[in-house]
């Protein structure tokens, strides 16, 4: 029996978890939300890397068989470091998103995400490396995460902010838009309303789940657990629990507040 | 010669620092921004308390003579704990703001702040303790901090968000509104536009500076330094530095990235 470890700074990764549980209803998951130090998106690559390695080490102590980095900022800044020292497969969200965008057949690809993700150039480099003839533009959208967390995913204010953030990409004629942040599926209706029906939206949650099943099918085939969900957070704010409840339909089978700051973590 | 230590999770406290430096141009300041763990406003009181004690201990190691907690969330959750174990005076923003609101002569007082500050009831309790005949209402405004950090302090979107957040308080007939977050002076124009000219706004930065000079005049009178500013951050994001430059007119005399996570901090 295997256990899938999923990690994000906060609630965004729950969109990935939701999608993976839908596809793999019998798999067991341990989700770690580093809510005491969120958000990662506005912090420096060095700090994000330190936090991500810390979180991965915590999950590995819990004997996971696959590590899913369900955070674009952490994937962009820390994936090579996470994969380098890992005895188990590590999946980030950047490559699956880039692959899905290329499969869409678009030539003009837009990427939106946190400041950290966009500044890292991770999507831009990955896409360009896969196909040299693509045209790529990107835009950081710092207010999208707080708007999603305010519960305003489908709200007039969010559509107005999206009009400001997406204007240049739409004027340029973007064909496929990568939602390069796992929070953004929560804003999908507003983004869709502003982008119009002709722009294809690629979301990290779906793209990552596709790749997980394609590439780790054998491993996941063995995942014949009870569909258990263990939720570990570094801070238990009411805000997080409220949003988590909205995103996931079911309650967690185990809920725990953990401390990643104080030295080595022991298996729980 | 004395040194004033000022601490906040991020940029908000810079509005307090700016005001204190304006009043005390020859005082030396050490500002600690816990930018690696910001924001505090959405996190649990326990986590905020742990972070605040950690930050205060760092500043005390640098031999400050007065500790200014320039963060409403930390003042609300941790001030008694910070003061209890402190050999030097500790000033928070809650009591000065409450006092200024009472001095305004208003009977209907509104308080806005982060979720953490509002949920703590710190302003509500302090006000009620000072005068039993006050009527007090409060409202958390989670998007105000990200809007200020986006540089949209005076922006149509911010005015629309303010209309939503302030509607109930304005309908109720609020006379004095406490801006219970040190970020909010950055949104003052938008809040003023929505609240109208008859509502008195009390901001933490001004209120705290008034109290610091009233109560610690003797100590501050000895503060005949060179007007030096040392800026220590736990994460050096470009975003912070850009905003800090906008808030403070002058550059820091010393800039350092420090790590509060790894055990005891030594004097620098």
């Amino acid at each position: 029996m295997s256990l899938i470890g999923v990690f994000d700074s906060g609630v965004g990764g729950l969109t990935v978890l939701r999608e993976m549980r839908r596809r793999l209803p019998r798999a067991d998951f341990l989700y770690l939300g580093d809510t005491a130090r969120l958000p990662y998106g506005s912090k420096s690559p060095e700090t994000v890397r330190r936090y991500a390695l810390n979180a991965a080490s915590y999950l590995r102590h819990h004997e996971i068989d696959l590590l899913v980095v369900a955070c674009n900022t952490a994937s962009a800044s820390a994936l090579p470091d996470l994969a380098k020292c890992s005895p188990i497969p590590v999946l980030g969200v950047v490559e699956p998103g880039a692959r899905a965008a290329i499969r869409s057949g678009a030539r003009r690809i837009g990427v939106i995400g946190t400041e950290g993700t966009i500044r890292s150039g991770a999507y831009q480099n990955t896409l360009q490396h896969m196909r040299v003839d693509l045209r790529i533009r990107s835009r950081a959208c710092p207010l999208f995460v707080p708007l999603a967390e305010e519960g305003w995913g489908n709200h007039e204010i969010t559509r107005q902010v999206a009009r400001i953030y997406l204007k240049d990409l739409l004027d340029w004629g973007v064909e496929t838009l990568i939602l390069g942040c796992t929070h953004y599926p929560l804003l999908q209706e507003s983004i869709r309303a502003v982008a119009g029906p002709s722009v294809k939206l690629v979301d990290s949650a779906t793209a990552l789940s596709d790749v997980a099943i394609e590439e780790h099918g054998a491993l996941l085939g063995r995942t014949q657990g009870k569909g258990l969900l263990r939720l570990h957070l570094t801070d238990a704010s009411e805000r997080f629990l409220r949003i988590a409840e909205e995103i996931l339909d079911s309650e967690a089978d185990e809920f725990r507040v953990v401390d990643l700051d104080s030295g080595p973590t022991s298996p729980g």
Side-chain angles (χ1 to χ4, degrees), chain A residues 155-232:
Chain A
H155 191 284
E156 177 49 28
I157 296 279
T158 305
R159 286 187 286 278
Q160 289 184 42
V161 174
R163 255 171 238 128
I164 295 172
Y165 283 156
L166 302 183
K167 184 175 185 308
D168 288 348
L169 288 171
L170 294 170
D171 288 351
W172 171 64
V174 62
E175 295 160 18
T176 287
L177 183 63
I178 299 178
L179 310 185
C181 172
T182 49
H183 271 87
Y184 294 1
L186 306 173
L187 308 168
Q188 193 136 359
E189 286 183 64
S190 296
I191 294 172
R192 167 61 64 213
V194 171
S198 65
V199 176
K200 187 171 159 53
L201 304 183
V202 167
D203 86 78
S204 314
T206 310
L208 184 135
S209 302
D210 287 343
V211 169
I213 289 166
E214 264 170 47
E215 293 198 350
H216 302 282
L219 171 72
L220 296 170
R222 291 199 305 275
T223 308
Q224 297 299 334
K226 296 177 176 168
L228 292 181
L229 170 59
R230 295 158 65 189
L231 196 57
H232 290 194

Side-chain angles (χ1 to χ4, degrees), chain A residues 8 69-77 93-94 114 117 123 179-182 204:
Chain A
D8 180 35
V69 184
C71 168
N72 280 270
T73 310
S75 296
S77 299
V93 274
V94 173
T114 65
T117 299
Y123 275 103
L179 310 185
C181 172
T182 49
S204 314

Side-chain angles (χ1 to χ4, degrees), chain A residues 11-176:
Chain A
V11 300
L14 294 174
T15 64
V16 174
L17 180 67
R18 177 178 60 186
E19 187 61 23
M20 291 192 79
R21 292 189 85 205
R22 202 179 60 75
R23 311 261 197 113
L24 301 162
R26 295 186 59 191
D28 294 332
F29 288 90
L30 171 56
Y31 185 92
L32 174 64
D34 191 9
T35 45
R37 307 191 284 199
L38 69 82
Y40 285 3
S42 56
K43 286 161 194 164
S44 69
E46 295 70 32
T47 294
V48 170
R49 203 171 298 130
R50 183 158 55 90
Y51 289 173
L53 289 168
N54 195 203
S57 146
Y58 177 85
L59 284 170
R60 274 201 306 272
H61 271 94
H62 284 78
E63 303 187 348
I64 55 168
D65 299 286
L66 173 68
L67 172 61
V68 173
V69 184
C71 168
N72 280 270
T73 310
S75 296
S77 299
L79 204 68
D81 290 318
L82 287 170
K84 202 165 55 190
C85 56
S86 179
I88 55 163
V90 179
L91 259 184
V93 274
V94 173
E95 208 192 294
R99 265 203 252 171
I102 285 179
R103 265 205 293 254
S104 76
R107 285 292 174 275
R108 286 171 187 247
I109 296 179
V111 185
I112 56 175
T114 65
E115 285 192 298
T117 299
I118 297 305
R119 201 180 339 105
S120 75
Y123 275 103
Q124 299 92 312
N125 297 339
T126 305
L127 285 163
Q128 213 76 75
H129 186 75
M130 287 173 175
R131 282 193 69 128
V132 288
D133 61 340
L134 293 175
R135 297 182 63 189
I136 305 158
R137 292 211 182 164
S138 63
R139 173 69 151 101
C141 304
L143 284 168
F144 275 0
V145 168
L147 284 164
E149 298 204 338
E150 180 65 317
W152 288 8
N154 187 15
H155 191 284
E156 177 49 28
I157 296 279
T158 305
R159 286 187 286 278
Q160 289 184 42
V161 174
R163 255 171 238 128
I164 295 172
Y165 283 156
L166 302 183
K167 184 175 185 308
D168 288 348
L169 288 171
L170 294 170
D171 288 351
W172 171 64
V174 62
E175 295 160 18
T176 287

